[in-house]
């Protein structure tokens, strides 16, 4: 299982040195930003440890622009392509399916196709809780290569939901539709009672252990937010959480020592 971090570009210098084994990250093209391009600073300034970049964009761009991006894929790099991550339910489903099919068809037989994953990214919270969202309707078997799920601790409850509960839908969806699965974003704020971060660190290890045991391909730690700007701070600012993710990355690179140890 590949493990990485998802950080804002302005904090690359803070988090990538702390996690030098991170081999995966997400890069977002904001709405109105057009098609993905390799010249963006968020991609150019990534450290060499990152061998897989997940690139998401929201705009409906010409398929030729996506193919051009694939044409320029740098040697030694794998890219995940995601159009309209977390679409449900604010984008018409028929347009969503049509756009994805056009991208998949255009990339058939592409010389770099073996280094490209088409990743359909769901919002787990909406899939589980939002009225009117049928998660099955947003699955793309036979079109996307991998079904991705952005997963966050539900702050409605002051607890860490057991891994088999919070990750049950991504895993069982993969079984039902016979697809691959991954967690492009896995994030958790600390519970109010978890003053040291020890419990959060253990929860992350437990979640990654579950994911690794049941075929998850990639996990990205959502490493963003600020206590000065928002009440939702997902960054591993406490030593136990940081140590837990460091251990997970070691365990992912050396499966013979998995599961990774926890830290007290």
């Amino acid at each position: 299982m590949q493990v990485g971090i998802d950080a804002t570009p302005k904090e690359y210098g803070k988090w990538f040195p702390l996690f030098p084994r991170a081999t995966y990250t997400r890069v977002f093209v904001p709405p109105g930003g057009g098609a993905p391009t390799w010249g963006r600073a968020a991609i150019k300034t990534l450290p060499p440890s990152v061998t897989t970049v997940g690139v998401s964009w929201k705009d409906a761009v010409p398929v030729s622009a996506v193919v051009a991006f694939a044409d320029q894929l740098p040697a030694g790099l794998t890219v995940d392509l995601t159009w309209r991550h977390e679409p449900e339910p604010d984008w018409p489903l028929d347009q969503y399916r049509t756009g994805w099919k056009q991208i998949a068809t255009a990339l058939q037989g592409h010389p770099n196709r073996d280094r490209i994953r088409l990743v359909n990214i769901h919002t787990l919270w909406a899939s589980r809780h939002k009225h009117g969202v049928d998660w099955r309707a947003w699955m793309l078997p036979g079109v996307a290569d991998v079904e991705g799920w952005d997963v966050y601790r539900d702050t409605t409850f002051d607890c860490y939901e057991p891994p088999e509960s919070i990750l049950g839908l991504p895993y069982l969806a993969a079984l039902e539709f016979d697809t691959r699965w991954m967690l492009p974003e896995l994030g958790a704020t600390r519970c109010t009672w978890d003053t040291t971060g020890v419990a959060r660190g253990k929860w992350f290890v437990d979640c990654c252990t579950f994911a690794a045991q049941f075929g998850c391909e990639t996990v990205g730690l959502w490493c963003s937010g600020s206590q000065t700007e928002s009440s939702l701070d997902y960054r591993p600012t406490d030593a136990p959480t940081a140590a837990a993710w460091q251990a997970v990355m070691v365990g992912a690179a050396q499966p013979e020592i998995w599961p990774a140890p926890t830290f007290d």
Side-chain angles (χ1 to χ4, degrees), residues 103-143:
I103 293 169
T105 299
L107 291 176
Q108 283 181 356
H110 192 281
N112 291 330
R113 189 63 176 85
D114 61 334
R115 293 190 291 127
I116 297 171
R117 289 189 302 190
L118 300 181
V119 181
N120 177 32
I121 299 180
H122 307 257
T123 314
L124 181 66
W125 189 92
S127 298
R128 296 175 76 191
H129 303 298
K130 194 169 185 64
H131 175 71
V133 173
D134 176 4
W135 65 265
R136 288 180 174 87
W138 296 91
M139 296 286 285
L140 294 174
V143 178

Side-chain angles (χ1 to χ4, degrees), residues 167-184:
L167 300 182
L169 176 54
Y171 168 58
L172 293 174
L175 287 184
E176 179 177 334
F177 285 84
D178 191 26
T179 62
R180 296 147 61 188
W181 68 287
M182 63 182 288
L183 304 173

Side-chain angles (χ1 to χ4, degrees), residues 136-159:
R136 288 180 174 87
W138 296 91
M139 296 286 285
L140 294 174
V143 178
D145 299 316
V146 186
E147 298 290 334
W149 301 79
D150 288 346
V151 176
Y152 290 86
R153 180 182 81 81
D154 189 342
T155 56
T156 305
F157 306 98
D158 198 20
C159 68

Side-chain angles (χ1 to χ4, degrees), residues 18-114:
L18 183 63
F19 302 109
R21 292 179 179 269
T23 59
Y24 168 83
T25 198
R26 293 281 303 281
V27 171
F28 304 92
V29 179
T37 56
W38 293 106
R40 296 177 185 272
I43 296 179
K44 292 199 305 181
T45 56
L46 287 170
S49 66
V50 175
T51 56
T52 299
V53 181
V55 180
S56 302
W57 71 99
K58 290 278 192 178
D59 297 346
V61 303
V63 175
S64 58
V66 181
V67 174
F69 186 68
D71 291 342
Q72 300 160 20
L73 177 59
L77 194 66
T78 297
V79 67
D80 292 348
L81 298 180
T82 300
W83 179 53
R84 292 206 67 90
H85 62 278
E86 300 182 345
E88 65 279 13
D90 65 347
W91 188 255
L93 180 58
D94 57 343
Q95 294 181 32
Y96 185 71
R97 289 183 169 276
T98 297
W100 265 101
K101 288 178 181 178
Q102 290 173 344
I103 293 169
T105 299
L107 291 176
Q108 283 181 356
H110 192 281
N112 291 330
R113 189 63 176 85
D114 61 334

Side-chain angles (χ1 to χ4, degrees), residues 1-7 15-16 19-26 49-52 183-186 208 217-223 245 248-249 252:
M1 186 174 71
Q2 191 173 35
V3 182
I5 63 170
D6 305 319
W15 298 116
F16 279 110
F19 302 109
R21 292 179 179 269
T23 59
Y24 168 83
T25 198
R26 293 281 303 281
S49 66
V50 175
T51 56
T52 299
L183 304 173
E185 299 173 15
L186 178 61
C208 290
E217 294 190 4
T218 303
V219 176
L221 164 65
W222 185 253
C223 185
W245 274 99
V248 165
M249 291 178 186

Side-chain angles (χ1 to χ4, degrees), residues 197-250:
V198 167
R200 179 169 68 163
K202 182 180 184 302
W203 182 79
F204 274 130
V205 171
D206 291 345
C207 284
C208 290
T209 299
F210 177 95
Q213 289 174 343
F214 291 98
C216 178
E217 294 190 4
T218 303
V219 176
L221 164 65
W222 185 253
C223 185
S224 188
S226 170
Q227 291 177 336
T228 60
E229 298 173 0
S230 169
S231 60
L232 298 178
D233 191 344
Y234 296 97
R235 299 172 301 170
T237 51
D238 58 85
T241 299
W245 274 99
Q246 289 165 345
V248 165
M249 291 178 186
V250 171

